[in-house]
Amino acid sequence: MREDGRDKQFEGSRRLLERARQSVAGGANSNMRVLPYHLPLAIDRAEGARVWDVDGNELIDMNMGYGPLIFGHRPAMVLRAIEEEIQRRGTVLGFPHELSHQVAELVKKSFPSIDLLRFSSTGTETAQTAVRLARAHTGRPLIVMFEGHYHGSSDAVFHRYHAPLDALAAQAQGRAIPGTAGMNGAPRDAIVLPWNDADTLSALMAARGEEIAAIIMEPVAGNAGVIPPRPGFLQCARVAADAAGSLLILDEVITGFRIARGGAQQRFGVRADLTLLAKALSGGVPVGAVGGRADIMQQIVDGRVFHGGVYSGNPMSMAAALAVQRAYDADGERTFADLERGAAQLAGGLRHIFVEAGVPALVRHVGAMLSCFFLKQEDTPEPMDYRAVAEAADAERYIRFQHRAQRAGVYFHPNLFEPWYLSTAHTPAVIDEVLERLETVAKRGDWLAAGADQPQGVGV
Ligand SMILES: Cc1ncc(COP(=O)(O)O)c(C=O)c1O
């Protein structure tokens, strides 16, 4: 690094972003890609588990497009399907075609709780539609959400999911804090609870169930440090929703086709009334799906609840999704077993590295989603909700480690709440390479204490 604090290694990326900022707000199209503590990184090309930046640096990617790229970057079957489809029907049609029901039939095979579904282009749209469906179906205003859980950026659900601890309600339940300026008080009618706390959830549902349209959650808290559900918690939510006549909406945008073919519902044996899917549903093209019980989805059929979208179910995206769904259907068992083994290999290797380095760390994975962060104190009990992770984790040390990892050729997101994502391109040999590179970084120890390159600000 140069004396002025700039990385010569990423000079091309820095210059590219400087130019981009003249026309694209902030230089990129998601705030999550250009946080104040990001080292610059602009990508020239990608293949399998790797990306090459505009400076020619090669990096093993553990972010994988934030989850969709379960078959790696540029999977041949997806590219082939897209090529064939754009030669045949093009990119968008505005008419029904056979691909979307073919994809839907395969999705239903993986998620037996889905009778009917609708495709859209993003996870955000699916959550917005699900909340509307729930309110219209029950005639009730409130939704119950959880600290640290993210369901996209629509006003329906975008609360301040990574709120600083002092902004959270002192008591166990509070009104949702708006996730951004400009929301006019939304998300309205949302109660936010700590997750994984069966007693609080049951008590709220018993006291106010008649006002509650739905409970919505990530069944593994992927945006809060990959926290698994406590045994019985998902079942408790199911029972509490049923007793109150409320719906259970499982946001499986990350977990669907990642922690098992049938997501958390398969892995933990729970049934949703409405399920949200995106990301690994389609292997890297924009597809979201909201689906569930026929009587709830019937409201869309009747036109009572509106759902549209120029690009919803477009043939190009559906062709890609069909290729991916057929791959799960043909070989899903092996795919998910391999992903699970790869994640266990990575988690085991990371734990070993941090024990050797004498750094207290917590590495967890549920299937092919993993988190790894440094603990402020040794002997911290395993944090099982957002507050506990935010309290226990050393966010600044994580950023310092991420910067050095990026320089050494491993990319993961510098915000510790963003999961590491594995793909089938992360073979055992590639994972060994990740571990070798990170071991070298860890051993240098220059990331342990704050230095000249101390990051500014650690929040999202
Ligand atoms: C659990 C979850 N739900 C919903 C979304 C929103 O998806 P999208 O960014 O496609 O709108 C995300 C995105 O990261 C997510 O992680």
Side-chain angles (χ1 to χ4, degrees):
M1 202 166 52
R2 294 185 341 194
E3 292 221 326
D4 60 5
R6 284 185 191 168
D7 272 87
K8 199 160 171 280
Q9 189 181 354
F10 301 112
E11 183 62 15
S13 287
R14 193 192 61 74
R15 281 213 216 103
L16 185 147
L17 285 168
E18 200 174 80
R19 174 164 177 192
R21 279 193 286 269
Q22 306 308 309
S23 53
V24 177
N29 296 293
S30 161
N31 286 16
M32 295 305 289
R33 294 177 208 159
V34 280
L35 294 173
Y37 50 87
H38 254 114
L39 287 186
L41 189 61
I43 298 306
D44 178 47
R45 67 193 172 90
E47 188 70 49
R50 295 169 205 266
V51 292
W52 287 261
D53 71 8
V54 294
D55 291 283
N57 300 302
E58 170 263 335
L59 297 104
I60 302 176
D61 186 4
M62 299 310 309
N63 187 55
M64 298 310 283
Y66 295 80
L69 297 168
I70 196 142
F71 291 110
H73 289 278
R74 303 185 69 251
M77 63 173 169
V78 172
L79 299 190
R80 219 176 16 250
I82 292 173
E83 274 166 23
E84 281 170 18
E85 188 55 27
I86 59 181
Q87 294 300 337
R88 183 184 167 91
R89 273 177 289 224
T91 55
V92 68
L93 266 183
F95 294 103
H97 54 86
E98 83 280 10
L99 295 177
S100 81
H101 67 256
Q102 290 174 357
V103 181
E105 284 161 11
L106 287 170
V107 171
K108 282 181 59 172
K109 251 176 115 169
S110 302
F111 285 85
S113 66
I114 297 180
D115 298 321
L116 290 172
L117 62 77
R118 268 290 174 94
F119 291 114
S120 56
S121 301
T122 62
T124 295
E125 292 164 273
T126 68
Q128 178 177 284
T129 302
V131 167
R132 278 196 192 137
L133 281 166
R135 289 202 172 112
H137 181 78
T138 57
R140 301 173 179 178
L142 296 182
I143 54 168
V144 175
M145 303 169 65
F146 296 93
E147 293 166 6
H149 291 222
Y150 176 62
H151 308 293
S153 57
S154 77
D155 281 21
V157 286
F158 188 41
H159 67 129
R160 198 163 175 203
Y161 63 115
H162 288 165
L165 290 170
D166 56 11
L168 289 169
Q171 72 281 23
Q173 46 177 280
R175 270 184 68 93
I177 308 170
T180 170
M183 290 180 73
N184 195 22
R188 289 185 192 287
D189 298 327
I191 298 175
V192 180
L193 306 183
W195 191 61
N196 250 340
D197 178 347
D199 290 345
T200 304
L201 177 61
S202 302
L204 174 74
M205 296 303 291
R208 301 186 63 182
E210 284 182 5
E211 301 166 77
I212 291 167
I215 303 169
I216 181 169
M217 68 168 81
E218 294 180 61
V220 173
N223 286 289
V226 185
I227 310 170
R230 283 187 197 281
F233 179 71
L234 300 178
Q235 287 71 16
C236 159
R238 177 70 275 169
V239 168
D242 282 342
S246 313
L247 304 186
L248 178 61
I249 304 172
L250 291 184
D251 180 344
E252 299 235 39
V253 164
I254 295 178
T255 51
F257 307 104
R258 175 161 289 282
I259 64 170
R261 180 178 171 192
Q265 295 180 58
Q266 177 184 333
R267 192 163 176 130
F268 299 109
V270 64
R271 182 181 50 78
D273 296 306
L274 290 172
T275 300
L276 316 182
L277 297 166
K279 297 196 173 178
L281 162 62
S282 55
V285 295
V287 179
V290 52
R293 274 170 34 198
D295 58 326
I296 304 168
M297 296 300 291
Q298 185 63 29
Q299 300 176 102
I300 290 180
V301 182
D302 297 344
R304 184 165 132 58
V305 170
F306 180 77
H307 175 266
V310 167
Y311 295 103
S312 295
N314 70 76
M316 184 186 70
S317 297
M318 288 292 105
L322 187 57
V324 167
Q325 290 298 322
R326 281 186 175 149
Y328 293 143
D329 203 40
D331 211 11
E333 218 166 292
R334 193 170 59 95
T335 301
F336 290 102
D338 286 351
L339 286 166
E340 188 82 40
R341 257 194 305 276
Q345 180 192 348
L346 180 60
L350 288 169
R351 286 186 196 114
H352 177 76
I353 288 171
F354 297 126
V355 167
E356 290 287 298
V359 184
L362 180 67
V363 182
R364 294 193 272 204
H365 79 95
V366 181
M369 59 196 283
L370 179 145
S371 80
C372 149
F373 48 78
F374 307 113
L375 299 167
K376 290 178 194 150
Q377 319 243 318
E378 214 136 0
D379 304 326
T380 307
E382 184 177 350
M384 294 302 283
D385 63 25
Y386 164 73
R387 289 186 195 210
V389 173
E391 245 161 58
D394 187 337
E396 292 181 2
R397 180 175 276 182
Y398 189 79
I399 295 169
R400 291 195 298 272
F401 185 71
Q402 191 278 337
H403 284 190
R404 283 149 183 86
Q406 182 172 324
R407 291 185 193 117
V410 178
Y411 182 79
F412 49 88
H413 198 280
N415 186 292
L416 67 90
F417 290 111
E418 283 296 333
W420 298 29
Y421 292 104
L422 285 96
S423 76
T424 56
H426 292 82
T427 58
V430 172
I431 293 169
D432 277 342
E433 240 181 301
V434 170
L435 292 170
E436 273 163 32
R437 292 179 189 188
L438 294 182
E439 186 170 23
T440 307
V441 170
K443 278 190 173 150
R444 280 205 298 267
D446 58 347
W447 51 282
L448 291 171
D453 63 338
Q454 179 60 26
Q456 298 301 303
V458 292
V460 169

